Amino acid sequence: MRRSRIDGYGVFADEPIAAGARIGALTGEAITVAEGRRRAAGRQRIMLVELSESRAIDATRSEDALRFTNHSCAPNARIQVQDGAIEFFASRAIAPGEEITVGYGATHHEGRLACRCGQPGCAGWL
C-alpha cells in the first residue's frame, strides 16, 4: 500500500501476479444494506461492498490493505462476491509495482464523483 496517482492510497503488487490468481480477500464489519447506505449518505469516502439485497460489508475500519483498491475503467483485477466472501482475482497478469485496480460498478456516488483513473475511454464519473 502506498500513495496512488489515482486517488489517496492504492494497493500495489509486490511480485508478479498471474492472470486468474487470487489476490486476497476483503474483510470488514457486517452490516445491513440500509445501514451501509445511511453511512454512505453525504460521505465521499466509504469502503462498502453490498453482498446481497440485505447484507453488506463496511471495510472503512478494516486493516486489510485491499480496502484501498482504487477504481479503474480498465481494471487489472475483479471482485468476486460468493457465500459472503469478497475476493479479488487478477483479470490479467500484473507486474511488480503495478497498482491493483478493479471496476467498482454501481456506487453510492451515483455518478457525482469524478473518475481519476486516467485510462483511455474513461467513463468520467463514478
Side-chain angles (χ1 to χ4, degrees):
M1 182 182 80
R2 65 176 188 254
R3 296 294 292 171
S4 167
R5 70 164 185 76
I6 297 173
D7 185 53
Y9 287 94
V11 179
F12 295 80
D14 282 341
E15 57 191 47
I17 302 172
R22 182 181 178 276
I23 297 169
L26 179 69
T27 61
E29 179 185 4
I31 58 174
T32 65
V33 167
E35 174 62 13
R37 292 181 181 175
R38 186 195 67 74
R39 291 180 184 186
R43 291 178 59 190
Q44 190 163 356
R45 292 185 188 270
I46 186 167
M47 287 99 175
L48 183 71
V49 177
E50 293 184 8
L51 304 173
S52 69
E53 290 183 20
S54 60
R55 296 179 49 227
I57 295 293
D58 182 352
T60 304
R61 293 186 194 103
S62 171
E63 294 185 13
D64 286 340
L66 286 172
R67 75 185 183 111
F68 293 104
T69 307
N70 279 314
H71 166 82
S72 175
C73 294
N76 56 18
R78 64 181 172 79
I79 299 173
Q80 179 175 310
V81 177
Q82 187 172 351
D83 299 325
I86 306 162
E87 296 184 307
F88 290 67
F89 292 88
S91 298
R92 61 166 175 77
I94 302 172
E98 187 176 351
E99 183 168 4
I100 297 168
T101 60
V102 296
Y104 284 176
T107 72
H108 70 278
H109 301 295
E110 299 174 341
R112 297 183 307 257
L113 181 66
C115 179
R116 299 178 3 181
C117 75
Q119 294 295 319
C122 173
W125 301 95
L126 298 176

